[in-house]
Amino acid sequence: MFYVDAHCHIEDKNFNKNRDEIIERSKKENVKIVTSGASLGGCLRALKFKKKYDIYLTLGYHPSRVKADNKTIDKVYNLIRDNANNILAVGEIGMDIKDENYERQEEIFKKFLSLAIELDKPIVVHARGFERKIFDIAKDKVDIMFHCYSGDLETAKNICREGNLISISTLLCFSEFHKKLVENLDIDYLITETDSPYLSPIKGKKNEPKNVKLVVEEIAKIKEMDVEEVKKVIYKNACKFFKRRL
C-alpha cells in the first residue's frame, strides 16, 4: 500500500540541487507525490516535473501573490484550463490573513473556484484565518481539501460533515493542536501531506515527500490503529477525492 503526499512543492527552487535524490527516496518509500504549482513560474515548472518524474499535479494561484496584475493571473487561469487533463485538482487557491488585499484575494479565489467548477475538478485550499469563509463560499459547489488545516475544531468537523477533507501535514509531528485535531476527526475525512520543502519535522533539514510516512505513523499512534490500516484509509480517501486511482 502507498503513502500519499497530497500536497508538496517539488517545483520549488529549494529542491534544485537535489530534486532527483528527493524523488528517488520518496519512490523507494512508496510515496505517491502530488506537487502543487502556486504561481505562474511554479505552475510551468510543476508541469515540466510531472512529466519528468511521473508524479501527480495540481495547479493554482497562492493568495500571497494577489498583488500581481490581471495579465499574470489570466495566464495561470488559461494554463490550468489548457492542462485540465494533466491535473488532479485546482489549487492551491484561497485566502491568507497574513497578507493584505482581502477583497482582491476573495475575488481571485472565486475566479479559480469558477474554473474548477467548469472543469469538474476538486479544489485544494490555502485558507489561513479564512477557513470558515472559504468553506461557506465553496461548499456544495466542489469537493474541497483544506491543505495544512490550522483552523478551529468546530469548523473542521463541519467541513468533514459535508464530505470534504482536512489535510494533516508534518506539523502533526510536533504540534499539540494538530494532534487534537486528528484525535477528534474521523479518519475517513483526513488526508496527509508534507508541504515540502516547508514544515520540516526534522530540525535543520528541508522537508521532503518521504516524511509523509511520519504523519501516517503519528495518526496511527493517536488513533490506536495499525500503520498499514491508516495508509489504506488515507490512500482510499485520496483516490476518492481526486476521482482516480493514484
Side-chain angles (χ1 to χ4, degrees):
M1 184 51 64
F2 300 103
Y3 294 97
V4 178
D5 186 355
H7 184 92
C8 64
H9 298 281
I10 288 299
E11 72 286 347
D12 194 285
K13 292 178 181 178
N14 282 300
F15 285 139
N16 281 357
K17 292 183 179 178
N18 64 342
R19 191 173 283 107
D20 289 352
E21 298 166 32
I22 295 288
I23 296 291
E24 186 178 346
R25 284 199 289 266
S26 298
K27 291 197 171 183
K28 279 184 179 177
E29 296 287 353
N30 288 324
V31 176
K32 293 292 185 178
I33 296 173
V34 183
T35 198
S36 176
S39 65
L40 178 56
C43 286
L44 290 168
R45 291 192 300 274
L47 279 163
K48 180 176 79 171
F49 294 135
K50 176 192 183 297
K51 294 173 185 175
K52 179 176 180 179
Y53 296 116
D54 190 27
I55 58 179
Y56 297 98
L57 176 66
T58 72
L59 295 179
Y61 198 78
H62 197 282
S64 66
R65 297 180 176 273
V66 297
K67 290 181 181 178
D69 58 34
N70 286 333
K71 194 175 290 187
T72 299
I73 292 163
D74 285 343
K75 283 181 180 178
V76 176
Y77 182 95
N78 291 325
L79 187 68
I80 294 171
R81 177 181 268 164
D82 292 344
N83 286 279
N85 292 334
N86 291 315
I87 66 172
L88 297 178
V90 174
E92 64 190 285
I93 56 175
M95 298 180 67
D96 193 317
I97 202 163
K98 289 191 175 182
D99 295 299
E100 298 178 353
N101 302 319
Y102 297 149
E103 288 183 6
R104 173 80 163 154
Q105 288 189 46
E106 183 175 344
E107 173 193 332
I108 293 171
F109 169 67
K110 287 179 175 176
K111 179 182 179 76
F112 284 99
L113 171 62
S114 294
L115 179 59
I117 294 168
E118 176 192 326
L119 300 178
D120 191 28
K121 299 287 185 182
I123 60 172
V124 176
V125 161
H126 175 113
R128 184 161 44 192
F130 286 102
E131 291 83 5
R132 167 55 66 180
K133 184 178 185 67
I134 291 291
F135 179 54
D136 286 343
I137 291 171
K139 67 180 179 182
D140 302 324
K141 297 181 177 73
V142 291
D143 292 331
I144 315 164
M145 174 184 131
F146 278 78
H147 133 70
C148 196
Y149 184 83
S150 58
D152 62 80
L153 177 59
E154 182 183 354
T155 301
K157 285 182 175 179
N158 287 335
I159 289 165
C160 295
R161 224 173 267 125
E162 295 293 328
N164 300 292
L165 295 184
I166 296 291
S167 187
I168 303 296
S169 74
T170 35
L171 286 173
L172 181 66
C173 299
F174 51 85
S175 166
E176 289 303 318
F177 171 80
H178 288 87
K179 292 180 196 297
K180 280 289 183 187
L181 275 179
V182 168
E183 183 182 335
N184 287 282
L185 295 176
D186 188 329
I187 193 172
D188 287 334
Y189 301 101
L190 300 183
I191 197 166
T192 52
E193 66 165 286
T194 63
D195 200 24
S196 52
Y198 314 107
L199 310 184
S200 180
I202 303 166
K203 192 173 180 179
K205 289 191 175 183
K206 282 183 302 195
N207 205 0
E208 58 182 281
K210 78 176 181 66
N211 290 334
V212 80
K213 66 185 290 187
L214 301 177
V215 185
V216 170
E217 289 167 1
E218 192 63 31
I219 292 173
K221 181 179 174 184
I222 293 166
K223 293 291 193 186
E224 298 183 343
M225 295 173 65
D226 181 76
V227 169
E228 287 301 314
E229 183 61 23
V230 173
K231 283 168 67 177
K232 182 179 178 181
V233 174
I234 298 297
Y235 179 75
K236 177 198 74 176
N237 296 347
C239 294
K240 182 180 179 183
F241 177 75
F242 290 125
K243 302 177 184 176
R244 61 159 295 163
R245 190 175 181 83
L246 302 181

